[in-house]
């Protein structure tokens, strides 16, 4: 006969239980309830960042916590509350009401009307900087706040928050005005994502400046009244992909091409890779570069897009010939998405000849019914449609021939 283990007693402290509840609230952006629940579980009052948010404290939720959680166990629980505020900010921006059970429907609606994304993020930062025990703050805690700013496209605010966090985490044992960053590269990537999501030229300059500081390990000044600098972490593949994504949205083809070439050149050398070398590009990196050519106003952008595609095919074919199946260079072989983005570039710029050439390359690289689909042919036809504004007769004949094929 099997007997069930008695398990822990009900009155024993178990942070996993409160953590599970807080994680559930965080997924739905129920920041107010999460904050109040954590405060009552800890037996403390978590203050608000400003008077506009003070009304949340007056919400009377029926939550009883017979056993208190200690501050030494509360780190992951604080992280969940920070994620809840970040999610709340994103949902408020999207004007989406979470479909979940609320403690007090009427009170919650009145608070939602007063909340703005910037208010929710200011509360998350306020909790991190002033309410959390310093020994409980981790990279995950900081990332929960910075990712919220990044998802909202608030790059400048995210960078300001990062500098405040760096100053708070500065060790009192640090000697001299320069120290290595206390945060990992994921936190810095959130800043880049915030700048890139905004898709503005002025934000682009800030993103490039931060990326270059990471790449060259240039100290970043923290404006706190006393001169102090932090050395940021080296960029990873996500850092490069974020910057390329921004170049793609803004049509900065030359900058994207230069960056992708620096990444591609690493795999072609025979020397041992260095720690400062850029990572090899992924499919997402190539797609962003093709998007930069598509959105560019440069007259030679289509030709450069085609040259990049041909280079990818050459490298991919070389890898196949050498049967180097384990090599990361196999990531450079163009797939359906890359061919379609190259066709989009030709379509937008009205390059019918080049579009047909890409279709042939597509068919050759992916035979056995894995080649171009109806979408790819439609892009090529659209390219000839734009050619028709200059040479209607020739464009009509070539489009008709392609249609029959």
């Amino acid at each position: 006969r099997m007997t069930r283990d008695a398990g822990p007693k009900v009155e024993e402290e178990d942070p996993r239980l409160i953590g599970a509840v807080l994680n559930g609230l965080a997924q739905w952006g129920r920041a107010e309830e999460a904050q109040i629940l954590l405060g009552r579980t800890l037996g403390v009052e978590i203050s608000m960042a400003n008077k506009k948010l003070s009304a949340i404290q007056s919400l009377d939720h029926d939550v009883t916590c017979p056993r208190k959680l200690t501050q030494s166990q509360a780190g992951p629980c604080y992280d969940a509350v920070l994620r809840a505020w970040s999610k709340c900010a994103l949902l408020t921006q999207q004007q989406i009401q979470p479909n979940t059970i609320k403690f007090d429907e009427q009170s919650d609606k009145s608070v939602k009307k007063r909340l703005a994304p910037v208010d929710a993020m200011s509360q998350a930062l306020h909790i991190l900087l002033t309410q959390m025990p310093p020994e409980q703050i981790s990279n995950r805690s900081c990332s929960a706040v910075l990712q919220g700013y990044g998802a909202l496209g608030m790059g400048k605010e995210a960078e300001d928050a990062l500098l405040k966090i760096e100053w708070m985490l500065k060790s009192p044992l640090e000697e001299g005005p320069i120290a290595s960053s206390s945060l990992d590269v994921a936190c810095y990537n959130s800043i880049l994502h915030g700048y890139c999501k905004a898709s503005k030229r002025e934000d682009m300059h800030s993103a490039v400046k931060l990326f270059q500081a990471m790449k060259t390990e240039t100290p970043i000044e923290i404006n706190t009244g006393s001169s102090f600098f932090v050395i940021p972490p080296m960029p990873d593949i996500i850092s490069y992909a974020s910057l390329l994504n921004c170049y793609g949205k803004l049509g900065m083809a030359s900058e994207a091409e230069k960056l992708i070439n620096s990444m591609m050149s690493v795999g072609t050398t025979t020397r041992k890779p260095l720690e400062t070398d850029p990572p090899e590009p992924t499919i997402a990196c190539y797609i962003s570069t093709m998007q930069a050519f598509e959105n560019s106003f440069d007259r030679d952008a289509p030709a450069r897009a085609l040259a990049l595609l041909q280079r990818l095919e050459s490298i991919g074919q070389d890898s196949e010939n050498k049967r180097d199946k384990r090599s990361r260079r196999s990531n450079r072989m163009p797939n359906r998405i890359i061919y379609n983005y190259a066709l989009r570039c030709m379509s937008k710029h009205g390059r019918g000849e080049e579009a047909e050439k890409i279709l042939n390359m597509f068919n050759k690289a992916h035979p056995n019914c894995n080649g171009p689909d109806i979408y790819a042919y439609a892009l090529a036809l659209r390219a000839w449609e734009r050619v028709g504004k200059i040479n209607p007769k020739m464009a009509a004949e070539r489009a008709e021939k392609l249609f029959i094929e």
Side-chain angles (χ1 to χ4, degrees):
R1 181 182 179 184
M2 297 180 63
T3 58
R4 186 174 62 181
D5 186 6
K9 297 180 180 180
V10 176
E11 64 269 15
E12 290 181 356
E13 299 172 354
D14 190 351
R16 294 173 298 178
L17 178 61
I18 181 63
V21 177
L22 291 172
N23 282 329
L25 293 172
Q27 288 183 358
W28 291 101
R30 308 309 305 153
E32 304 93 333
E33 290 84 355
Q35 178 173 316
I36 291 174
L37 181 57
L38 176 60
R40 294 188 181 183
T41 306
L42 290 170
V44 299
E45 182 178 345
I46 300 177
S47 64
M48 309 306 291
N50 53 53
K51 294 181 179 180
K52 191 173 184 180
L53 291 166
S54 60
I56 295 176
Q57 290 290 79
S58 64
L59 296 178
D60 187 16
H61 300 327
D62 186 17
V63 179
T64 57
C65 303
R67 187 71 176 178
K68 302 300 181 184
L69 193 67
T70 63
Q71 289 283 1
S72 62
Q73 300 172 308
C77 297
Y78 271 107
D79 294 349
V81 174
L82 297 177
R83 292 197 304 274
W85 278 112
S86 293
K87 183 71 172 182
C88 176
L90 185 60
L91 292 174
T92 305
Q93 185 189 56
Q94 297 172 343
Q95 297 182 344
I96 297 176
Q97 294 295 330
N99 183 22
T100 185
I101 299 175
K102 302 172 183 176
F103 290 102
D104 187 339
E105 188 82 15
Q106 197 62 37
S107 297
D108 186 78
K109 285 183 178 179
S110 64
V111 171
K112 282 291 183 184
K113 290 180 181 179
R114 291 192 293 270
L115 273 180
V118 66
D119 294 325
M121 290 312 306
S122 66
Q123 179 60 18
L125 184 61
H126 172 73
I127 293 174
L128 178 66
L129 295 177
T130 66
Q131 304 295 296
M132 283 188 70
E135 65 275 7
Q136 293 295 317
I137 297 176
S138 64
N139 271 289
R140 184 173 296 183
S141 312
C142 303
S143 186
V145 177
L146 296 174
Q147 284 180 2
Y149 280 115
L152 293 167
M154 300 170 67
K156 180 62 171 63
E157 293 81 355
E159 186 167 0
D160 291 342
L162 180 137
L163 296 179
K164 291 178 181 178
I165 295 171
E166 289 278 23
W167 176 254
M168 178 190 64
L169 296 178
K170 184 179 83 72
S171 171
L173 301 178
E174 292 284 356
E175 296 182 0
I178 301 178
S180 297
S181 173
S182 302
L183 304 177
D184 59 17
V185 67
C187 293
Y188 280 78
N189 286 341
S190 296
I191 316 304
L192 292 174
H193 179 64
Y195 281 129
C196 296
K197 193 174 179 65
S199 299
K200 297 177 181 177
R201 288 280 175 175
E202 54 270 26
D203 289 333
M204 181 71 251
H205 297 316
S206 299
V208 172
K209 182 179 179 181
L210 178 60
F211 178 83
Q212 290 298 333
M214 295 169 65
K215 187 177 179 181
T216 59
E217 296 185 290
T218 302
I220 300 174
E221 183 177 8
I222 299 179
N223 297 320
T224 58
S226 58
S227 298
F228 181 73
F229 298 80
V230 293
I231 301 175
M234 289 291 293
D236 61 5
I237 184 60
I238 298 178
S239 313
Y240 281 83
S242 295
L243 192 61
L244 282 169
N245 182 39
C246 196
Y247 285 147
K249 290 180 178 179
L250 295 174
M252 301 175 68
S254 297
E255 292 81 355
E257 189 176 23
K258 182 178 179 181
L259 186 58
I260 199 74
N261 284 337
S262 70
M263 299 171 72
M264 294 175 69
S265 63
V266 174
T268 59
T269 59
T270 56
R271 64 171 172 79
K272 184 179 180 181
L274 303 176
E275 186 178 350
T276 55
D277 285 339
E280 292 193 49
T282 62
I283 296 297
C285 296
Y286 292 123
I287 290 174
S288 295
T289 306
M290 287 296 180
Q291 191 179 26
F293 288 129
E294 177 189 354
N295 294 329
S296 174
F297 291 101
D298 296 342
R299 294 177 62 87
D300 62 343
R304 287 151 59 194
L306 180 59
L308 175 61
L309 186 63
Q310 290 172 331
R311 184 181 175 189
L312 283 173
E313 279 198 343
S314 176
I315 295 174
Q317 189 62 45
D318 182 58
S319 296
E320 285 191 1
N321 291 339
K322 293 179 180 179
R323 300 182 181 275
D324 191 8
K325 301 300 182 182
R326 293 175 297 175
S327 174
R328 292 174 61 193
R329 292 177 64 183
S330 59
N331 290 338
R332 294 174 178 169
M333 190 64 185
N335 64 1
R336 176 181 297 275
I337 302 175
I338 294 178
Y339 281 105
N340 281 340
Y341 265 89
L343 284 167
R344 283 178 52 169
C345 177
M346 305 307 160
S347 173
K348 184 173 181 178
H349 289 270
R351 299 297 181 91
E353 291 279 0
E354 290 85 346
E356 284 198 30
K357 188 172 185 177
I358 292 174
L359 283 178
N360 293 331
M361 294 167 62
F362 198 167
N363 269 312
K364 187 176 179 180
H366 296 277
N368 303 324
C369 301
N370 292 321
D373 54 12
I374 187 64
Y375 176 69
Y377 279 98
L379 289 171
L381 289 171
R382 199 170 299 160
W384 281 118
E385 179 185 358
R386 287 185 167 84
V387 174
K389 296 179 181 180
I390 302 173
N391 193 337
K393 184 177 179 181
M394 186 270 289
E397 291 174 354
R398 297 292 296 272
E400 182 179 2
K401 182 179 179 182
L402 180 61
F403 181 80
I404 293 174
E405 291 179 358

Coordinates of all heavy atoms in Angstrom, one line a residue, residues 252-316:
M252 N 18.7 52.1 -44.2 CA 20.1 52.5 -44.1 C 21.0 51.4 -44.7 O 21.6 50.6 -44.0 CB 20.5 52.9 -42.7 CG 19.7 54.0 -42.1 SD 20.0 54.4 -40.4 CE 21.6 55.0 -40.5
A253 N 20.9 51.2 -46.0 CA 21.5 50.1 -46.7 C 23.1 50.1 -46.5 O 23.6 49.0 -46.3 CB 21.2 50.1 -48.2
S254 N 23.7 51.2 -46.7 CA 25.2 51.2 -46.6 C 25.7 50.8 -45.2 O 26.6 50.0 -45.1 CB 25.7 52.6 -46.9 OG 25.4 53.0 -48.2
E255 N 25.0 51.2 -44.2 CA 25.4 50.9 -42.8 C 25.1 49.4 -42.6 O 25.9 48.7 -41.9 CB 24.6 51.7 -41.8 CG 25.0 53.2 -41.8 CD 24.3 54.0 -42.8 OE1 23.6 53.4 -43.7 OE2 24.5 55.2 -42.9
A256 N 24.0 48.9 -43.0 CA 23.6 47.5 -42.9 C 24.6 46.6 -43.6 O 25.1 45.5 -43.1 CB 22.2 47.2 -43.3
E257 N 24.9 47.0 -44.8 CA 25.9 46.2 -45.7 C 27.2 46.2 -45.0 O 27.9 45.1 -45.0 CB 25.9 46.8 -47.0 CG 26.7 46.0 -48.1 CD 26.7 46.6 -49.4 OE1 26.5 47.9 -49.5 OE2 26.9 45.9 -50.4
K258 N 27.7 47.2 -44.5 CA 29.0 47.3 -43.8 C 29.0 46.4 -42.6 O 30.0 45.6 -42.4 CB 29.4 48.7 -43.4 CG 30.7 48.9 -42.8 CD 31.0 50.3 -42.4 CE 32.4 50.5 -41.8 NZ 32.6 51.9 -41.4
L259 N 28.0 46.4 -41.8 CA 27.9 45.6 -40.6 C 27.8 44.1 -41.0 O 28.5 43.2 -40.4 CB 26.7 46.0 -39.7 CG 26.6 45.3 -38.4 CD1 27.9 45.6 -37.5 CD2 25.4 45.8 -37.6
I260 N 27.0 43.7 -41.9 CA 26.8 42.3 -42.3 C 28.1 41.8 -42.9 O 28.5 40.6 -42.7 CB 25.6 42.1 -43.2 CG1 25.2 40.6 -43.2 CG2 25.9 42.5 -44.6 CD1 24.5 40.2 -42.0
N261 N 28.8 42.6 -43.7 CA 30.1 42.2 -44.2 C 31.1 41.9 -43.2 O 31.9 40.9 -43.3 CB 30.6 43.2 -45.2 CG 29.9 43.2 -46.5 OD1 29.2 42.2 -46.9 ND2 29.9 44.4 -47.2
S262 N 31.2 42.7 -42.1 CA 32.1 42.5 -41.0 C 31.8 41.2 -40.3 O 32.7 40.5 -39.9 CB 32.1 43.6 -40.0 OG 30.9 43.7 -39.3
M263 N 30.5 40.8 -40.2 CA 30.1 39.6 -39.6 C 30.4 38.4 -40.5 O 30.9 37.3 -40.0 CB 28.6 39.6 -39.3 CG 28.2 40.7 -38.3 SD 26.4 40.9 -38.1 CE 26.0 39.4 -37.2
M264 N 30.2 38.5 -41.8 CA 30.5 37.4 -42.7 C 32.0 37.1 -42.9 O 32.4 36.0 -43.2 CB 29.9 37.7 -44.1 CG 28.3 37.8 -44.1 SD 27.7 38.3 -45.7 CE 28.0 36.9 -46.7
S265 N 32.8 38.1 -42.7 CA 34.2 38.0 -43.0 C 34.9 37.1 -41.9 O 36.0 36.5 -42.2 CB 34.9 39.3 -43.0 OG 34.8 40.0 -41.8
V266 N 34.3 37.0 -40.8 CA 34.9 36.2 -39.7 C 35.0 34.7 -40.1 O 36.1 34.1 -39.9 CB 34.1 36.3 -38.4 CG1 34.7 35.4 -37.3 CG2 34.1 37.8 -37.9
G267 N 34.0 34.2 -40.7 CA 34.0 32.8 -41.0 C 34.9 32.4 -42.2 O 35.1 31.2 -42.5
T268 N 35.3 33.4 -43.0 CA 36.2 33.1 -44.1 C 37.7 33.1 -43.8 O 38.5 32.8 -44.7 CB 35.9 34.2 -45.2 OG1 36.2 35.5 -44.7 CG2 34.4 34.2 -45.6
T269 N 38.0 33.5 -42.6 CA 39.4 33.5 -42.3 C 39.8 32.2 -41.6 O 39.0 31.5 -41.1 CB 39.7 34.7 -41.2 OG1 38.9 34.4 -40.0 CG2 39.3 36.0 -41.8
T270 N 41.1 31.9 -41.8 CA 41.7 30.6 -41.2 C 42.2 30.8 -39.8 O 42.5 29.8 -39.2 CB 42.7 30.1 -42.2 OG1 43.8 31.1 -42.3 CG2 42.2 29.8 -43.5
R271 N 42.4 32.0 -39.4 CA 43.0 32.2 -38.0 C 42.0 31.8 -37.0 O 40.8 31.7 -37.2 CB 43.4 33.7 -37.9 CG 42.2 34.7 -37.9 CD 42.6 36.1 -37.5 NE 41.6 37.0 -37.7 CZ 40.6 37.2 -36.9 NH1 40.5 36.5 -35.8 NH2 39.7 38.2 -37.2
K272 N 42.5 31.7 -35.8 CA 41.6 31.4 -34.6 C 40.8 32.6 -34.2 O 41.3 33.7 -34.2 CB 42.5 31.0 -33.4 CG 41.7 30.5 -32.2 CD 42.7 30.1 -31.1 CE 41.9 29.7 -29.9 NZ 42.8 29.3 -28.7
P273 N 39.5 32.4 -34.1 CA 38.6 33.5 -33.7 C 39.0 34.2 -32.4 O 39.4 33.6 -31.5 CB 37.2 32.8 -33.6 CG 37.3 31.6 -34.3 CD 38.7 31.1 -34.2
L274 N 38.9 35.5 -32.4 CA 39.2 36.3 -31.3 C 37.9 36.7 -30.5 O 36.8 36.6 -31.1 CB 39.9 37.6 -31.7 CG 41.2 37.5 -32.5 CD1 41.7 38.8 -32.9 CD2 42.2 36.7 -31.7
E275 N 38.0 37.0 -29.3 CA 36.9 37.4 -28.4 C 36.2 38.6 -29.0 O 35.0 38.8 -28.8 CB 37.3 37.5 -27.0 CG 36.2 37.7 -26.0 CD 36.6 37.9 -24.6 OE1 37.8 37.6 -24.3 OE2 35.8 38.3 -23.7
T276 N 37.0 39.5 -29.6 CA 36.4 40.8 -30.1 C 35.8 40.6 -31.5 O 35.3 41.6 -32.0 CB 37.5 41.8 -30.1 OG1 38.6 41.3 -30.9 CG2 38.0 42.2 -28.7
D277 N 35.9 39.5 -32.1 CA 35.3 39.3 -33.4 C 33.8 39.3 -33.3 O 33.2 38.8 -32.4 CB 35.8 37.9 -34.0 CG 37.2 37.9 -34.5 OD1 37.7 39.0 -34.7 OD2 37.8 36.8 -34.6
P278 N 33.2 39.8 -34.4 CA 31.7 39.8 -34.4 C 31.2 38.4 -34.6 O 31.9 37.5 -35.2 CB 31.3 40.7 -35.6 CG 32.6 40.7 -36.5 CD 33.7 40.5 -35.5
P279 N 30.0 38.1 -34.2 CA 29.4 36.7 -34.4 C 29.0 36.5 -35.8 O 28.8 37.5 -36.6 CB 28.2 36.7 -33.5 CG 27.8 38.2 -33.4 CD 29.1 39.0 -33.4
E280 N 28.9 35.3 -36.2 CA 28.5 35.0 -37.6 C 27.0 35.3 -37.7 O 26.2 35.1 -36.8 CB 28.7 33.5 -37.9 CG 30.2 33.2 -38.1 CD 30.4 31.9 -38.7 OE1 29.8 31.6 -39.8 OE2 31.2 31.1 -38.1
P281 N 26.6 35.9 -38.8 CA 25.2 36.3 -39.0 C 24.2 35.1 -39.0 O 24.5 34.0 -39.5 CB 25.2 37.1 -40.3 CG 26.4 36.6 -41.0 CD 27.4 36.2 -40.0
T282 N 23.0 35.4 -38.6 CA 21.9 34.4 -38.6 C 21.0 34.8 -39.8 O 21.1 35.8 -40.4 CB 21.1 34.4 -37.3 OG1 20.5 35.7 -37.1 CG2 22.0 34.0 -36.1
I283 N 19.9 34.0 -40.0 CA 18.9 34.3 -41.0 C 18.3 35.7 -40.8 O 18.1 36.4 -41.7 CB 17.9 33.2 -41.0 CG1 18.5 31.8 -41.4 CG2 16.7 33.6 -42.0 CD1 19.0 31.8 -42.8
A284 N 18.0 36.0 -39.5 CA 17.4 37.3 -39.2 C 18.3 38.4 -39.6 O 17.8 39.5 -40.0 CB 17.1 37.3 -37.7
C285 N 19.6 38.3 -39.5 CA 20.5 39.3 -39.8 C 20.5 39.6 -41.3 O 20.4 40.7 -41.8 CB 21.9 39.0 -39.4 SG 22.2 38.8 -37.6
Y286 N 20.4 38.5 -42.1 CA 20.3 38.7 -43.6 C 19.0 39.3 -44.0 O 18.9 40.1 -44.9 CB 20.5 37.3 -44.3 CG 21.9 36.7 -44.1 CD1 22.1 35.5 -43.5 CD2 23.0 37.4 -44.5 CE1 23.4 35.0 -43.4 CE2 24.3 36.9 -44.4 CZ 24.5 35.7 -43.8 OH 25.7 35.1 -43.7
I287 N 17.9 38.9 -43.3 CA 16.6 39.5 -43.7 C 16.6 41.0 -43.4 O 16.1 41.7 -44.2 CB 15.5 38.7 -42.8 CG1 15.4 37.3 -43.3 CG2 14.2 39.5 -42.9 CD1 14.4 36.5 -42.5
S288 N 17.1 41.4 -42.3 CA 17.2 42.8 -42.0 C 18.0 43.6 -43.0 O 17.7 44.7 -43.4 CB 17.7 43.1 -40.6 OG 16.9 42.5 -39.6
T289 N 19.1 43.0 -43.5 CA 19.9 43.6 -44.5 C 19.2 43.8 -45.8 O 19.2 44.8 -46.4 CB 21.2 42.8 -44.7 OG1 21.9 42.6 -43.4 CG2 22.2 43.6 -45.6
M290 N 18.5 42.7 -46.2 CA 17.6 42.8 -47.4 C 16.5 43.8 -47.2 O 16.2 44.6 -48.2 CB 17.0 41.4 -47.7 CG 18.0 40.4 -48.2 SD 18.7 40.9 -49.8 CE 19.8 39.4 -50.1
Q291 N 16.0 43.9 -46.1 CA 15.0 45.0 -45.8 C 15.6 46.4 -45.9 O 14.9 47.3 -46.4 CB 14.4 44.7 -44.4 CG 13.1 45.6 -44.1 CD 12.5 45.3 -42.8 OE1 13.3 44.9 -41.8 NE2 11.3 45.5 -42.6
A292 N 16.8 46.5 -45.5 CA 17.5 47.8 -45.7 C 17.6 48.2 -47.1 O 17.4 49.3 -47.5 CB 18.8 47.8 -45.0
F293 N 18.0 47.2 -48.0 CA 18.1 47.5 -49.4 C 16.7 47.8 -50.0 O 16.6 48.7 -50.8 CB 18.6 46.3 -50.1 CG 20.1 46.0 -49.9 CD1 20.6 44.8 -49.5 CD2 21.0 47.0 -50.1 CE1 21.9 44.6 -49.3 CE2 22.4 46.8 -49.9 CZ 22.8 45.6 -49.5
E294 N 15.7 47.1 -49.5 CA 14.3 47.4 -50.0 C 13.8 48.8 -49.6 O 13.2 49.5 -50.5 CB 13.3 46.4 -49.3 CG 11.9 46.6 -49.7 CD 10.9 45.7 -48.9 OE1 11.4 44.9 -48.2 OE2 9.7 45.9 -49.1
N295 N 14.1 49.3 -48.4 CA 13.7 50.6 -48.0 C 14.6 51.7 -48.3 O 14.3 52.9 -48.0 CB 13.4 50.6 -46.5 CG 12.3 49.6 -46.1 OD1 11.4 49.4 -46.8 ND2 12.4 49.0 -44.9
S296 N 15.7 51.4 -49.0 CA 16.7 52.4 -49.3 C 16.3 53.2 -50.5 O 15.6 52.7 -51.4 CB 18.1 51.7 -49.5 OG 19.0 52.7 -50.0
F297 N 16.8 54.5 -50.6 CA 16.6 55.3 -51.8 C 17.8 55.3 -52.7 O 17.8 56.0 -53.7 CB 16.3 56.7 -51.3 CG 14.9 56.9 -50.7 CD1 14.9 57.0 -49.3 CD2 13.8 56.9 -51.4 CE1 13.6 57.1 -48.6 CE2 12.5 57.1 -50.8 CZ 12.5 57.2 -49.4
D298 N 18.8 54.5 -52.4 CA 20.0 54.4 -53.2 C 19.6 53.7 -54.6 O 19.0 52.7 -54.6 CB 21.1 53.6 -52.5 CG 21.6 54.3 -51.3 OD1 21.3 55.5 -51.2 OD2 22.2 53.6 -50.5
R299 N 20.1 54.2 -55.7 CA 19.8 53.7 -57.0 C 20.4 52.3 -57.2 O 19.9 51.5 -57.9 CB 20.2 54.6 -58.1 CG 19.5 56.0 -58.1 CD 20.1 56.9 -59.2 NE 19.9 56.3 -60.5 CZ 18.9 56.4 -61.3 NH1 17.8 57.2 -60.8 NH2 18.8 55.9 -62.5
D300 N 21.5 52.1 -56.5 CA 22.2 50.8 -56.7 C 21.9 49.8 -55.6 O 22.5 48.7 -55.5 CB 23.7 51.0 -56.7 CG 24.3 51.6 -55.4 OD1 23.4 52.1 -54.6 OD2 25.5 51.5 -55.2
A301 N 20.9 50.1 -54.8 CA 20.5 49.1 -53.7 C 20.1 47.8 -54.2 O 20.5 46.7 -53.7 CB 19.4 49.8 -52.9
P302 N 19.2 47.7 -55.3 CA 18.9 46.4 -55.8 C 20.1 45.6 -56.3 O 20.2 44.3 -56.1 CB 17.9 46.7 -57.0 CG 17.4 48.0 -56.7 CD 18.5 48.8 -56.0
A303 N 21.0 46.2 -57.0 CA 22.2 45.5 -57.4 C 23.0 45.0 -56.2 O 23.6 43.8 -56.3 CB 23.1 46.4 -58.3
R304 N 23.1 45.7 -55.2 CA 23.9 45.3 -54.0 C 23.1 44.2 -53.3 O 23.8 43.3 -52.7 CB 24.1 46.5 -53.1 CG 25.2 47.4 -53.6 CD 24.9 48.9 -53.2 NE 24.9 49.0 -51.7 CZ 24.5 50.1 -51.1 NH1 24.0 51.1 -51.8 NH2 24.5 50.2 -49.8
A305 N 21.8 44.2 -53.3 CA 21.0 43.1 -52.7 C 21.3 41.8 -53.5 O 21.4 40.7 -52.9 CB 19.5 43.5 -52.7
L306 N 21.3 41.9 -54.8 CA 21.5 40.7 -55.6 C 22.9 40.2 -55.4 O 23.1 39.0 -55.3 CB 21.3 41.1 -57.1 CG 21.5 40.0 -58.1 CD1 20.6 38.8 -57.8 CD2 21.3 40.5 -59.5
A307 N 23.9 41.1 -55.3 CA 25.3 40.7 -55.0 C 25.4 39.9 -53.7 O 26.1 38.9 -53.6 CB 26.2 41.9 -55.0
L308 N 24.7 40.4 -52.7 CA 24.7 39.7 -51.4 C 24.1 38.4 -51.5 O 24.6 37.4 -50.9 CB 24.0 40.6 -50.3 CG 23.8 39.9 -48.9 CD1 25.2 39.6 -48.3 CD2 23.0 40.8 -48.0
L309 N 23.0 38.2 -52.2 CA 22.3 37.0 -52.4 C 23.3 36.0 -53.1 O 23.4 34.8 -52.8 CB 21.0 37.1 -53.2 CG 20.1 35.9 -53.3 CD1 19.7 35.4 -52.0 CD2 18.9 36.2 -54.2
Q310 N 23.9 36.5 -54.2 CA 24.9 35.6 -54.9 C 26.0 35.2 -54.0 O 26.5 34.0 -54.1 CB 25.4 36.4 -56.1 CG 24.3 36.6 -57.2 CD 24.8 37.5 -58.3 OE1 25.6 38.4 -58.1 NE2 24.3 37.3 -59.5
R311 N 26.5 36.1 -53.2 CA 27.6 35.7 -52.2 C 27.1 34.7 -51.2 O 27.9 33.7 -50.9 CB 28.0 37.0 -51.5 CG 29.2 36.8 -50.6 CD 29.6 38.1 -49.9 NE 30.6 37.8 -48.9 CZ 31.0 38.7 -48.0 NH1 30.5 39.9 -48.0 NH2 32.0 38.5 -47.2
L312 N 25.9 34.8 -50.8 CA 25.4 33.8 -49.9 C 25.3 32.4 -50.5 O 25.6 31.4 -49.9 CB 24.0 34.2 -49.4 CG 23.9 35.3 -48.3 CD1 22.5 35.7 -48.0 CD2 24.6 34.7 -47.0
E313 N 24.8 32.4 -51.8 CA 24.7 31.1 -52.5 C 26.1 30.5 -52.7 O 26.3 29.3 -52.6 CB 24.0 31.4 -53.9 CG 22.5 31.5 -53.8 CD 21.9 31.2 -55.2 OE1 22.6 31.4 -56.2 OE2 20.7 30.9 -55.2
S314 N 27.1 31.4 -53.0 CA 28.4 30.8 -53.3 C 29.0 30.2 -52.0 O 29.6 29.1 -52.0 CB 29.3 32.0 -53.8 OG 30.7 31.6 -53.9
I315 N 28.8 30.9 -50.9 CA 29.4 30.4 -49.6 C 28.6 29.1 -49.2 O 29.2 28.1 -48.8 CB 29.3 31.4 -48.5 CG1 30.2 32.6 -48.8 CG2 29.6 30.9 -47.2 CD1 30.0 33.8 -47.9
G316 N 27.3 29.1 -49.4 CA 26.5 28.0 -49.1 C 26.9 26.8 -49.9 O 27.0 25.6 -49.4

